Amino acid sequence: MIIRHATLAPALLWFIAPVFAQWINYPTPGTPRLPDGRPNLSAATPRTADYHPDLSGIWRLEPAPCAADSIQGCGGDYRGGPEFGNIGARLSGGLPYQPWAEEFVKNQAPDLGKNDPVAWCKPSGALRLLTYPPYRKIIQTPVVIVLLSERDVTYRQIFTDGRPLPKDPSPSWNGYSIGKWQEDTLVVESVGFRDGTWLDRRGSPMTEAAKMTEKFRRTNFGNLEIEVTVDDPKAYKRPWTIKLHQLLVPDTELLDYYCNDNEKDSAHAVGK
Amino acid sequence: MPILRIALSAALVCAPALAQWLNYPTPGIPRLPDGRPNLDGPAPRTADGRPDLSGLWEPVGPANSSFVGNTARDPQFADVAKEVKGGLPFQPWSANLLKARLAADSKDDPDSKCLPLGPIKMHLHPYPRRIIQMPGLLVILFERDTTYRQIFTDGRPLPEDPQPGFNGYSTGKWDYDTLVVETIGIKDGTWLDVRGTPLTSAAKITERFRRPTFGKLQIDITVDDPKAYTKPWSIHVDQTFAADTDLLEFVCLENEKDQAHLNGGIR
């Protein structure tokens, strides 16, 4: 009997361990699981009480194959997708820059990204928030969908309460977004961006003339497809469309990442 | 004539929809016959019968409180001990630290360096915040620096060894109609107010959220920080529902020109 209890004690400890471990290992409640306890990422798309797909979860952009990933490298916790470096990376023929925009991007290369707003802890803007290597969490309610970004502990709201887009929005980094469900696709329209937004590390610009349409589709439990169309006639000759494939990250949480906390880099930024 | 009437009334109906988004009427809130929000009705409830704390909230100060722009300021934002009888039970070192911060005109306030304020000072910040309550999670979106705080209500325990952060780690449980939130893991160096009242990583914060009417949110906060204080102490924060408006994008570092001119009283 004593021996049996002795073997039980370590088993209990083992079972309890994850609960007391670091909070980023806390199992995400409501996640479908395989018999061995691992998350079943090919399970069906979850649905809300009103039967829309539930986009809620923590997501990361599908990383690039290692060799193509020149910006982030292959190591580290946060492998980026190629769109973080070049939002048109997987667009055949590249982005249809207007001449001034092409010149602008060309001029950034020798400056090694020192004019990038995020190098100065400015917001990334709505689109770049979807390509940033740190994770993002979507929370969905019937009237608003919110993206919480680990990068700089910031958020973006998408109103789904039927309101129209504003006629004369206050220009901002995130713009103003409304979403409507079309069958199982959430179609989000955004206006009200500000001039001076960078869409990627190379400096692909976005201006306040931009209109962005995003189509969110959660194809199963572990996969979220976001098709993004940017229509910015000031910076691009024609609208362009990219796909940002996001993968669910289970059993973790967003960490506090404050760009401006103990920031020592910007003073050392070099360039031409 | 009928055509004209239809045209006019259609224009009237459309007008708010096309106006600035700050004036968009908040959907789903109770209204008086004249259309104004009825803030005295009962608090809304979620499907599971709990009070729903969701909504846009602003701090309320006393009638004579000062203002930031057009937003009323709770005097506890400047001095968290304003309503604490007998003052705060400082440890000697923390009393001295506050004195030194005051002597330097609070120039090292994390707020003036565009750093996060932590959960208590964020409750008192004049700019509005939106609470979103869902099963298992409550999120507060703050206008100030477009940042958020998560409070887990899915039954998880507090972590044993949390990563110290500006917001700490928060879990909440319902006690009848009160959401009781416990927070640990706040990092050293946190300021609780503009004066510089200190908080250390030893702190445990308990917040009790109550929504007694549609328009009122009450937060009782107890700070138990044995490193900085000889005993726990409590404050009360009142917030009011902000109808027919929304959060603006406020980015502290945007065109920031102030820090370079903070000289700590050297004139």
Side-chain angles (χ1 to χ4, degrees):
Chain A
M1 284 301 279
I2 290 161
I3 289 168
R4 282 177 61 149
H5 279 285
T7 52
L8 191 60
L12 267 175
L13 278 177
W14 180 248
F15 186 71
I16 291 168
V19 176
F20 294 126
Q22 275 299 325
W23 57 282
I24 53 167
N25 298 320
Y26 188 78
T28 308
T31 306
R33 308 238 166 219
L34 298 165
D36 64 1
R38 282 182 302 137
N40 179 3
L41 298 177
S42 19
T45 306
R47 297 205 172 246
T48 56
D50 52 3
Y51 210 66
H52 292 304
D54 190 350
L55 309 180
S56 300
I58 294 180
W59 302 96
R60 67 186 175 108
L61 182 62
E62 186 181 38
C66 225
D69 189 3
S70 60
I71 300 292
Q72 281 303 107
C74 297
D77 291 337
Y78 286 136
R79 278 192 53 207
E83 283 82 5
F84 180 67
N86 173 4
I87 195 75
R90 289 187 249 211
L91 203 59
S92 70
L95 291 167
Y97 295 113
Q98 295 282 11
W100 75 265
E102 187 151 15
E103 189 69 14
F104 180 82
V105 171
K106 209 168 79 188
N107 288 340
Q108 299 312 317
D111 271 336
L112 309 172
K114 79 164 182 180
N115 304 316
D116 186 347
V118 306
W120 301 86
C121 296
K122 299 286 180 63
S124 59
L127 177 49
R128 212 167 165 189
L129 200 138
L130 298 174
T131 67
Y132 233 89
Y135 304 151
R136 57 215 62 93
K137 182 180 201 170
I138 297 181
I139 57 178
Q140 182 170 329
T141 80
V143 291
V144 66
I145 291 174
V146 181
L147 279 88
L148 307 179
S149 173
E150 179 166 286
R151 191 261 172 193
D152 228 14
V153 195
T154 191
Y155 64 85
R156 168 188 172 205
Q157 298 189 89
I158 298 166
F159 298 105
T160 53
D161 56 8
R163 71 182 65 190
L165 282 171
K167 209 184 192 184
D168 181 22
S170 183
S172 64
W173 294 93
N174 279 338
Y176 192 88
S177 301
I178 58 165
K180 286 194 180 81
W181 288 98
Q182 281 178 10
E183 311 270 326
D184 280 352
T185 302
L186 178 74
V187 181
V188 177
E189 289 186 281
S190 304
V191 294
F193 297 107
R194 46 164 283 166
D195 283 339
T197 299
W198 285 35
L199 296 180
D200 51 29
R201 285 288 287 161
R202 71 203 301 246
S204 300
M206 189 156 84
T207 77
E208 62 175 32
K211 184 175 175 176
M212 183 165 82
T213 306
E214 295 154 286
K215 295 182 181 183
F216 290 76
R217 249 171 19 97
R218 185 169 186 172
T219 50
N220 61 15
F221 196 85
N223 289 272
L224 176 66
E225 303 283 356
I226 311 175
E227 186 188 284
V228 185
T229 301
V230 172
D231 183 3
D232 180 357
K234 253 189 183 166
Y236 300 94
K237 290 178 191 154
R238 57 183 177 274
W240 46 270
T241 301
I242 56 166
K243 276 189 182 158
L244 300 173
H245 178 203
Q246 310 269 334
L247 305 171
L248 187 85
V249 195
D251 301 344
T252 188
E253 248 316 321
L254 304 176
L255 288 168
D256 261 15
Y257 164 27
Y258 282 104
C259 177
N260 194 31
D261 186 18
N262 198 27
E263 195 283 308
K264 307 279 188 211
D265 299 341
S266 54
H268 304 285
V270 292
K272 69 172 184 317
Chain B
M1 192 57 189
I3 291 166
L4 185 61
R5 277 177 59 174
I6 290 167
L8 274 174
S9 61
L12 273 176
V13 167
C14 291
L18 301 177
Q20 274 298 325
W21 58 283
L22 267 180
N23 300 320
Y24 187 77
T26 308
I29 66 172
R31 295 193 183 262
L32 299 165
D34 65 2
R36 282 181 301 137
N38 178 6
L39 300 181
D40 298 325
R45 299 215 169 234
T46 56
D48 58 1
R50 302 292 185 195
D52 190 348
L53 308 181
S54 300
L56 209 67
W57 300 98
E58 290 174 332
V60 189
N64 61 350
S65 68
S66 54
F67 285 74
V68 175
N70 55 6
T71 313
R73 177 196 269 177
D74 187 325
Q76 294 175 116
F77 181 68
D79 177 4
V80 76
K82 193 92 182 164
E83 307 292 327
V84 179
K85 288 196 179 68
L88 296 179
F90 289 106
Q91 300 279 10
W93 74 267
S94 63
N96 287 336
L97 179 60
L98 175 58
K99 248 182 241 162
R101 286 173 175 172
L102 285 168
D105 280 357
S106 298
K107 80 174 171 73
D108 295 319
D109 184 352
D111 195 5
S112 56
K113 299 176 193 297
C114 294
L115 287 169
L117 306 186
I120 295 180
K121 203 172 172 189
M122 273 310 229
H123 283 321
L124 296 162
H125 197 279
Y127 298 167
R129 74 277 294 137
R130 161 169 283 149
I131 294 181
I132 299 179
Q133 180 176 328
M134 288 159 295
L137 180 68
L138 188 130
V139 174
I140 312 180
L141 308 179
F142 297 96
E143 179 166 294
R144 191 267 175 193
D145 226 15
T146 320
T147 189
Y148 63 84
R149 172 186 171 203
Q150 296 195 85
I151 296 168
F152 298 101
T153 55
D154 55 7
R156 72 181 64 190
L158 284 171
E160 210 177 31
D161 179 23
Q163 174 94 6
F166 288 97
N167 280 334
Y169 191 88
S170 301
T171 62
K173 286 194 180 81
W174 287 96
D175 177 16
Y176 295 94
D177 281 356
T178 303
L179 180 68
V180 183
V181 176
E182 295 191 308
T183 301
I184 56 169
I186 306 265
K187 61 188 265 174
D188 282 329
T190 296
W191 289 36
L192 293 177
D193 51 22
V194 177
R195 287 158 59 91
T197 302
L199 192 76
T200 78
S201 58
K204 182 170 181 176
I205 299 171
T206 307
E207 295 153 286
R208 289 168 199 275
F209 292 79
R210 283 195 330 118
R211 186 172 184 175
T213 64
F214 192 90
K216 284 186 178 160
L217 183 70
Q218 301 172 338
I219 313 170
D220 285 292
I221 306 170
T222 299
V223 174
D224 184 3
D225 180 358
K227 245 193 195 164
Y229 302 97
T230 56
K231 55 180 193 283
W233 50 271
S234 300
I235 63 165
H236 178 86
V237 178
D238 282 313
Q239 296 189 353
T240 187
F241 190 88
D244 303 345
T245 186
D246 215 293
L247 304 173
L248 286 170
E249 189 176 273
F250 171 73
V251 178
C252 180
L253 272 180
E254 187 76 71
N255 200 25
E256 197 283 308
K257 306 280 188 211
D258 299 341
Q259 280 179 63
H261 303 287
L262 297 176
N263 61 13
I266 302 157
R267 293 180 179 93

